[in-house]
Amino acid sequence: MENIFTANIKSVLGKHFEKNADDIFDKSQLIQYINEKTRSANKGSKSRSSFANLYAIYVIIEDYIANGYDQKGDYSKYEGALFNKLFARQRELPFGSKLQNHALNNRMNSEFQKYFPSSEFIPILRNHETNRYWINENLLKINLGETSFNIAKAIIEIIDEYAKTKQGAFQRFVKSCEELQEIDKTTPKKIEEFVIGLLAPNIDARLFEIVSYSILKYFYHEQQIIWGFEMDKLNRENLKLYKTGRTNANDGGIDFVMKPLGRFFQVTETLDFKKYFLDIDKIQKYPVTFVIKSTEPTTDLLKKIRDNAGKTYSIKAIVDKYMDCIEEIINIPTINDRFNDAVKQGYLKSILDEIVTQSKVEFNYEDLNEEEED
């Protein structure tokens, strides 16, 4: 299925293969996969980017080209690319500095098979003992009649073009935020509309987490608790919400932590109960508040989780034990309400500032500026 970025893909193929470009586009499973993964290119910074799986392909094909196998040589005799080298390389790429190893190890292959369940090939080949990798050359060589075309360099160029497009989209997003930071105080409505616009079910998961955190941080900011170890020496302390790391970090299933209550928050977009129970297991069944990227009522969300869990676990006591660990469900309407409350408390500009700060950290915005200056 074609999307806006498909024209870019076909343009690259046209440059490399001229009149054969359309046939190669139609016949190549790898190109079709990339076409699907790059559909967010022109949707702006709010849409998913899918860099992990694309960069897994990219770095192995880059190694393939660097060793000249796109021109000649028997790739089947190649010793393979070392994992450490590939992993380091993908983190050098735009938006890749915090990528994990999942795509290289299995995730990319697994997703490819979902798109092409009848395909006899998987893209990434791996020797578990030596930890060396190869690209499946069968997916790089497209046979049209008696002629074989190698699409390796075209794939590199397509992914480069996609990264460049996403960089531009994100830079425009940050600049929009920065412009709003400078806006006259008499027109806060524009800022409110902008932030509310970021709370949508189709928003990029990373932005949703950033915006949710920024709002909840200032919603809880004015709330106080009184605590102490002795009745005559009590402390009065504001609630403070901390972000534990980047959205794709392997942080054990916790995204925000609240002091001094010790509440844990996990942001998610799935309703798969196994994911919820796994996060609960990671912290030894400590209560968790789930922030869900959904507009469904919280009662319906809880019911779906319980009903699905009940189908798998036939023992009610087991389901109850896990469900009791869900301290609270926060959905998009709840976040909107808490945003309005925080705005009434005078924290609109602080929320926007937090979104800008967290976004720059998440997307390595300073690094992108340095690349432009170089």
Side-chain angles (χ1 to χ4, degrees):
M1 184 178 294
E2 296 195 6
N3 56 71
I4 294 176
F5 192 72
T6 303
N8 300 63
I9 294 175
K10 288 189 172 182
S11 175
V12 172
L13 293 176
K15 185 170 67 174
H16 284 266
F17 307 111
E18 299 179 342
K19 64 180 181 180
N20 296 296
D22 286 341
D23 289 335
I24 289 173
F25 177 86
D26 292 335
K27 192 170 183 181
S28 169
Q29 292 179 344
L30 206 50
I31 292 292
Q32 290 297 320
Y33 174 78
I34 293 171
N35 180 58
E36 184 64 30
K37 298 303 291 181
T38 55
R39 62 173 50 252
S40 75
N42 298 93
K43 294 182 180 178
S45 62
K46 303 176 189 178
S47 54
R48 285 180 166 277
S49 298
S50 304
F51 280 115
N53 287 358
L54 291 176
Y55 281 169
I57 303 169
Y58 186 101
V59 294
I60 302 177
I61 293 178
E62 193 177 51
D63 177 80
Y64 172 85
I65 294 171
N67 285 281
Y69 288 110
D70 61 316
Q71 301 294 329
K72 60 181 180 179
D74 188 351
Y75 188 57
S76 66
K77 295 180 180 178
Y78 178 49
E79 63 181 352
L82 283 169
F83 168 78
N84 289 344
K85 180 181 176 182
L86 297 175
F87 187 61
R89 174 57 182 148
Q90 73 172 6
R91 288 193 160 195
E92 294 173 354
L93 298 169
F95 298 111
S97 65
K98 299 301 173 182
L99 290 178
Q100 303 296 312
N101 61 351
H102 310 304
L104 277 169
N105 286 350
N106 181 58
R107 190 169 290 171
M108 190 274 152
N109 280 343
S110 178
E111 188 179 61
F112 182 86
Q113 288 175 312
K114 289 180 182 178
Y115 284 109
F116 303 100
S118 60
S119 177
E120 57 184 310
F121 306 120
I122 58 171
I124 297 175
L125 306 176
R126 176 188 178 195
N127 184 321
H128 290 265
E129 294 180 0
T130 62
N131 222 13
R132 289 182 180 270
Y133 291 72
W134 299 260
I135 190 71
N136 194 323
E137 197 174 28
N138 292 301
L139 292 170
L140 295 181
K141 292 183 175 180
I142 308 301
N143 297 316
L144 298 178
E146 296 181 357
T147 306
S148 179
F149 297 90
N150 192 302
I151 62 173
K153 287 183 178 177
I155 287 177
I156 293 294
E157 190 171 335
I158 289 167
I159 296 176
D160 280 339
E161 181 67 22
Y162 175 65
K164 190 187 303 180
T165 303
K166 293 302 290 186
Q167 279 182 321
F170 179 70
Q171 287 168 340
R172 287 192 296 274
F173 166 74
V174 172
K175 289 188 188 310
S176 295
C177 290
E178 290 176 333
E179 287 172 6
L180 285 171
Q181 284 179 307
E182 303 300 324
I183 204 168
D184 189 271
K185 292 182 180 179
T186 59
T187 56
K189 201 67 180 174
K190 286 186 179 180
I191 301 177
E192 291 182 40
E193 291 171 354
F194 178 78
V195 174
I196 290 173
L198 297 175
L199 292 171
N202 62 343
I203 193 175
D204 177 89
R206 293 173 295 177
L207 273 179
F208 178 73
E209 181 174 319
I210 288 167
V211 176
S212 299
Y213 168 74
S214 302
I215 291 171
L216 293 174
K217 175 181 178 178
Y218 287 98
F219 169 75
Y220 293 117
H221 186 70
E222 288 295 321
Q223 298 181 33
Q224 293 185 336
I225 66 165
I226 299 172
W227 66 278
F229 298 102
E230 299 177 30
M231 289 299 296
D232 58 344
K233 294 181 181 179
L234 297 177
N235 303 293
R236 184 184 297 272
E237 188 171 347
N238 287 58
L239 298 180
K240 296 177 182 177
L241 197 65
Y242 294 88
K243 199 168 183 296
T244 59
R246 285 178 167 85
T247 60
N248 58 357
N250 186 15
D251 53 16
I254 299 303
D255 294 315
F256 317 146
V257 174
M258 179 187 286
K259 286 187 65 180
L261 290 179
R263 283 184 67 182
F264 287 173
F265 294 72
Q266 171 67 11
V267 182
T268 184
E269 56 186 334
T270 180
L271 289 181
D272 182 1
F273 78 92
K274 293 178 183 177
K275 199 273 183 195
Y276 291 78
F277 290 5
L278 175 62
D279 287 338
I280 290 168
D281 279 336
K282 285 179 181 178
I283 51 175
Q284 299 179 8
K285 296 182 174 60
Y286 188 89
V288 183
T289 293
F290 287 97
V291 182
I292 305 177
K293 193 174 70 161
S294 172
T295 56
E296 290 188 59
T298 55
T299 51
D300 292 354
L301 293 171
L302 275 169
K303 186 176 185 302
K304 282 186 177 181
I305 296 169
R306 179 181 285 278
D307 289 348
N308 290 333
K311 293 174 183 177
T312 299
Y313 297 104
S314 58
I315 308 301
K316 182 177 181 296
I318 295 176
V319 176
D320 288 344
K321 187 173 183 180
Y322 278 104
M323 294 302 296
D324 287 344
C325 291
I326 300 178
E327 185 169 15
E328 182 184 5
I329 292 289
I330 298 175
N331 61 358
I332 290 176
T334 303
I335 298 172
N336 272 315
D337 290 341
R338 295 184 180 181
F339 172 63
N340 292 331
D341 289 342
V343 169
K344 290 176 183 177
Q345 295 172 32
Y347 289 115
L348 178 59
K349 188 176 185 305
S350 297
I351 290 171
L352 181 63
D353 291 345
E354 191 70 37
I355 291 172
V356 173
T357 299
Q358 295 294 336
S359 295
K360 286 182 175 181
V361 171
E362 176 67 35
F363 295 97
N364 305 302
Y365 185 68
E366 286 78 5
D367 293 346
L368 296 182
N369 283 339
E370 288 172 8
E371 288 175 11
E372 285 186 344
E373 291 169 4
D374 293 342

